Amino acid sequence: MTEESYINKSPGHAPLKNVVAMMALVRKVQARGPHLPNIVVMHGPSGYGKSFASLYAQNKTRAVRVEIGDSWTRKTFLKAILRELGINEPKGTIPDMAERAIELLGEDFNRPLMIDEADKLVDKGFVELVRELAEFSQAPVVLIGEEALPGKLVRVERVHNRILDWAPAQPCDLEDTRHLARLYVPKLTLSDTLVDRVRVQSDGRARRIVTNLDAIAEWARNHGRTEIGNDYDGGFHTGRPPAPRAGNAIGRAA
């Protein structure tokens, strides 16, 4: 069974194309030859569903997954990895914790380490720590980040040279949007035209599509509807800021 057909037959999950791409990326790095690099990258704009795809892959592969926070340091990063590896209260110096993480990651060469918001690793100057974990453990490493991540990694040559493959996240197409509608508003029947309007107004961003589907569901409840087509007259969340109000509007209201 192919990865795509496997995902399509999994109940309760939308088989989004970025989920399929993520699973293919993970399987590729798991199946690499011993002479090949063990780091792969998925990159793309915010809201394309990269984190959703990584959570799906985590569940299917027992991956160790961490999401970098704005305030994180090297020590915070290593503690988070060790907690995911089963160490409840990680202690020790940074080298001690790195050595322990390498040891635990190396116990299962097939178990991926997934790092979301990986841009921050470069911005904070400790992406070399990831290279160390990857090189000495030989565990598959998946970096997930924004569209600028590849350009940032190019500037860190020792990491860039160790990347096996890149997967650019794609905007949702009509089929993806239909799948999201089936998943998040299963009791509603939406016309193809409305589904495509949702896609266009959402700029193909999965997160925004889900927000707009929720708005349609609320509209449907208020109007007592289960089937909705071109007569939908509710608004869409487009990501564009609201137009500025007239400068004296508040003054007139007062």
Side-chain angles (χ1 to χ4, degrees):
M1 182 183 294
T2 66
E3 196 65 60
E4 184 167 1
S5 63
Y6 174 72
I7 291 172
N8 285 338
K9 291 184 179 181
S10 298
H13 288 277
L16 302 177
K17 291 176 176 59
N18 287 329
V19 172
V20 176
M22 174 66 80
M23 286 302 300
L25 193 67
V26 173
R27 296 306 189 200
K28 180 171 184 175
V29 70
Q30 286 179 315
R32 73 194 185 282
H35 59 291
L36 293 174
N38 60 323
I39 302 176
V40 292
V41 179
M42 174 171 271
H43 59 96
S46 173
Y48 271 29
K50 302 183 300 295
S51 294
F52 178 92
S54 70
L55 287 166
Y56 183 96
Q58 177 189 17
N59 291 331
K60 290 298 179 184
T61 64
R62 300 184 307 105
V64 175
R65 182 183 178 276
V66 296
E67 185 172 331
I68 308 297
D70 288 330
S71 63
W72 282 24
T73 63
R74 286 174 172 83
K75 197 163 193 174
T76 315
F77 173 60
L78 288 169
K79 280 185 174 181
I81 291 175
L82 288 171
R83 287 191 190 99
E84 291 297 316
L85 287 165
I87 307 298
N88 291 329
E89 296 184 13
K91 295 178 181 178
T93 64
I94 290 175
D96 288 340
M97 288 193 290
E99 184 176 354
R100 183 62 173 145
I102 289 167
E103 177 186 349
L104 292 172
L105 288 168
E107 288 179 355
D108 186 350
F109 292 155
N110 210 39
R111 189 181 189 187
L113 169 62
M114 308 187 78
I115 304 173
D116 205 348
E117 301 288 347
D119 306 71
K120 295 170 186 174
L121 290 171
V122 186
D123 297 339
K124 292 172 177 293
F126 55 89
V127 71
E128 281 278 9
L129 181 53
V130 175
R131 180 195 61 79
E132 180 183 340
L133 297 179
E135 184 171 351
F136 289 106
S137 74
Q138 283 302 298
V141 175
V142 184
L143 302 180
I144 304 144
E146 300 296 317
E147 188 65 12
L149 179 58
K152 292 180 179 182
L153 290 172
V154 165
R155 299 196 294 269
V156 189
E157 185 178 357
R158 292 206 301 173
V159 176
H160 182 255
N161 286 342
R162 287 169 170 79
I163 293 175
L164 176 67
D165 201 4
W166 311 78
Q170 302 297 327
C172 290
D173 59 13
L174 183 58
E175 183 181 358
D176 284 336
T177 309
R178 284 196 192 100
H179 283 308
L180 287 170
R182 294 187 191 107
L183 183 63
Y184 288 98
V185 289
K187 296 182 180 180
L188 296 181
T189 301
L190 309 182
S191 71
D192 286 347
T193 303
L194 179 56
V195 171
D196 200 42
R197 282 176 66 196
V198 171
R199 178 191 65 81
V200 171
Q201 295 290 338
S202 304
D203 195 30
R205 296 176 189 259
R207 186 180 300 130
R208 201 170 292 160
I209 287 170
V210 172
T211 300
N212 280 316
L213 289 171
D214 185 69
I216 290 172
E218 183 178 359
W219 183 94
R221 286 192 297 271
N222 292 337
H223 290 78
R225 299 278 297 278
T226 58
E227 297 185 9
I228 312 170
N230 295 338
D231 57 338
Y232 174 70
D233 57 4
F236 289 96
H237 298 273
T238 64
R240 292 186 289 273
R245 295 177 294 178
N248 59 352
I250 296 177
R252 289 199 302 270

